[in-house]
Amino acid sequence: MDLSYTPEEEEFRARLREWLAKVLPGLPPKPSPDDWPGRRAYDLGWQRMLYDAGYAGLHWPADAGGRGATPTQHLIFLEETEKAGAPYVGANFVGLLHAGPTVAAEGSAEQRARWLPPVLRGEEVWCQGFSEPDAGSDLAALRTRARRDGDDYVVSGSKIWTSHAEVADWCELLVRTDAKAPKHRGISWLAMPMDAPGITVRPLRTLAGSTEFAEVFLDDVRVPVANRVGEENDGWRVTMVTLSFERGTAFVGEVVACRRVLGELAREARKNGRWDDAVLRRRLGRLNAEFRALWRLTQWNVSESERSGGVPGVGGSVFKLRYSRARQDLYDAAADVLGAEALDLDSRWTLDRLSSLSYTIAAGTSQIQRNIVAERILGLPKGR
């Protein structure tokens, strides 16, 4: 992996910085965290601006509507947009970071033409229907059934922790299409329209008070067979493609954000006198080294995905495992630096600290990531 930048890449960075400096001051105020229709409109509006400027789907293949940019250009884009304080993908994250890349990698030409352009143009939002109340970390134990009826699947069951279901147009949905097959072999990956009859969405309130997750109940929902990505009962393999994007590249921008937060903490510690504590300085120094190493691992994972046809490898599990712990350590350190301010329920620090607790669960628990690293990287035998 070459960590230096070419003149062309530096020119790309300069143009991006110039564009961000021009457009960001004109953005409307961010809507209230509880205003989901407003947040959807805000996030889609930013995505449309990226599309019109040629930055949407920067790293997606050209035949999927992207620019086919190099991994390094992609990382430059993420680094510069985060440094500039540009909006995050928000409600678009499932479509842009999970479902869209999966369809680009596994979908038919018709599916790619139908689903990818609206994601890039900021016209449609996706949610993720993977987890179930009784499946937990064992995703392959899902019980939502899909019965074939002519040109449709008839789907019944329930999902939980469905991200942005309340404002989504589509759901990347895992269903069991063969109850008799071994649990990893009887699963299919469907794109379900969220306006189909029989869908009930019930928002869930998180520890931080937000409602970006929901329970979704499915009562004989009809989903066209044409909406299946991959072959019937081959959904587990397709799901591994989705999860490789979720763990390997979806958190890239957040590493940059954590490095920015760490800089804020160091400046605050110098202002409030906490910098005199040698133990705290060592703690912040270790976190600085941690996130610098994670950024290098990110660069390696993105480069590896380019060599493997655009799909990240199992190195994403190494990144996810360490990043989720480092993020929690960062906000624990913030509590030491900020003192009582870190306990203010209206403080962004408090909300971010509470949110950090979810990262050892989101996108696959740390226990699952350890199993993947042990079996697929270290070659250890499967646990019994």
Side-chain angles (χ1 to χ4, degrees), residues 11-224:
E11 181 182 354
F12 171 80
R13 185 192 299 273
R15 290 198 307 270
L16 175 59
R17 283 181 177 176
E18 181 180 359
W19 181 77
L20 289 169
K22 178 182 178 181
V23 301
L24 290 181
L27 290 181
K30 290 184 178 180
S32 164
D34 293 328
D35 179 8
W36 278 106
R39 289 179 65 175
R40 172 190 160 107
Y42 182 89
D43 295 338
L44 290 179
W46 172 244
Q47 181 61 30
R48 182 68 200 206
M49 292 177 68
L50 291 173
Y51 178 82
D52 289 341
Y55 291 116
L58 190 69
H59 61 298
W60 285 22
D63 62 359
R67 286 183 55 177
T70 67
T72 302
Q73 287 176 321
H74 179 211
L75 292 176
I76 289 172
F77 171 81
L78 294 170
E79 189 172 20
E80 293 300 326
T81 51
E82 179 58 41
K83 285 181 177 178
Y88 183 56
V89 290
N92 292 315
F93 90 91
V94 173
L96 285 169
L97 306 181
H98 306 171
T102 302
V103 172
E106 297 288 334
S108 66
E110 293 78 10
Q111 290 170 339
R112 287 153 64 99
R114 167 60 188 90
W115 291 318
L116 298 183
V119 170
L120 293 178
R121 291 194 299 260
E123 295 171 355
E124 293 181 346
V125 170
W126 285 65
C127 63
Q128 186 179 75
F130 282 16
S131 299
E132 294 189 6
D134 297 320
S137 297
D138 186 8
L139 181 58
L142 66 91
R143 297 190 296 181
T144 295
R145 299 291 180 87
R147 172 178 55 85
R148 182 76 176 260
D149 181 24
D151 292 333
D152 292 334
Y153 289 109
V154 181
V155 181
S156 294
S158 66
K159 297 292 179 177
I160 198 167
W161 310 122
T162 305
S163 306
H164 301 311
E166 64 271 43
V167 292
D169 302 290
W170 293 90
C171 177
E172 52 172 359
L173 184 72
L174 293 187
V175 296
R176 186 159 299 284
T177 41
D178 187 348
K180 297 180 180 179
K183 66 180 186 179
H184 290 86
R185 299 181 182 175
I187 294 172
S188 296
W189 197 107
L190 305 180
M192 179 179 70
M194 289 298 289
D195 60 355
I199 300 175
T200 301
V201 176
R202 183 183 300 164
L204 294 168
R205 193 164 296 278
T206 69
L207 182 66
S210 59
T211 57
E212 67 263 31
F213 300 112
E215 293 179 285
V216 177
F217 300 93
L218 309 170
D219 183 14
D220 288 343
V221 179
R222 301 189 76 89
V223 179

Side-chain angles (χ1 to χ4, degrees), residues 247 251 316-324 359-360 362-364 369:
R247 296 164 185 166
F251 291 111
S317 289
V318 178
F319 169 84
K320 170 61 173 57
L321 181 62
R322 191 55 227 169
Y323 169 72
S324 59
Y359 279 73
T360 51
Q369 305 314 311

Side-chain angles (χ1 to χ4, degrees), residues 361-380:
I361 299 172
T365 66
S366 291
Q367 292 85 349
I368 292 295
Q369 305 314 311
R370 291 189 182 98
N371 283 344
I372 292 172
V373 171
E375 295 170 8
R376 301 186 193 176
I377 296 179
L378 302 178
L380 298 178

